[in-house]
Amino acid sequence: MTEGAYSAVADEQLDALERGSDAQLYNAVLDACELIFRLPAKAQSLSTAIVTSGGATVMRLPVAGHPPYKVFCTTAGPRIEVVFPHP
């Protein structure tokens, strides 16, 4: 993966998930991230778009089998911004 593909916050969140007790959740999150990087158009079609208060568009991709977890990414790059439970 290229440098800058993950925000510092996403890096920390992924590290915490890796250290956590739910290996299935961690692997599902990695699968979602891989989809975003390998097939960005497919990932976007499975995502909802959110417009931030600053006007930026962020995609919200559900983590398969682990609701309410979502991977949030920007399409430029693409870049993983955050990973957390979200309705």
Side-chain angles (χ1 to χ4, degrees):
M1 209 49 42
T2 61
E3 189 168 323
Y6 295 86
S7 71
V9 172
D11 267 340
E12 290 173 15
Q13 291 169 325
L14 290 169
D15 288 346
L17 286 172
E18 183 178 26
R19 290 188 306 270
S21 61
D22 192 343
Q24 289 181 339
L25 171 60
Y26 176 67
N27 288 326
V29 169
L30 291 182
D31 288 344
C33 292
E34 183 176 354
L35 177 65
I36 290 166
F37 294 124
R38 287 186 183 237
L39 300 169
K42 177 70 172 175
Q44 285 182 31
S45 74
L46 298 171
S47 300
T48 54
I50 297 173
V51 178
T52 68
S53 59
T57 300
V58 177
M59 305 306 293
R60 182 181 69 170
L61 178 66
V63 175
H66 295 276
Y69 277 85
K70 309 287 188 300
V71 175
F72 293 78
C73 67
T74 52
T75 56
R79 178 182 155 143
I80 307 299
E81 298 298 336
V82 293
V83 177
F84 63 91
H86 190 265

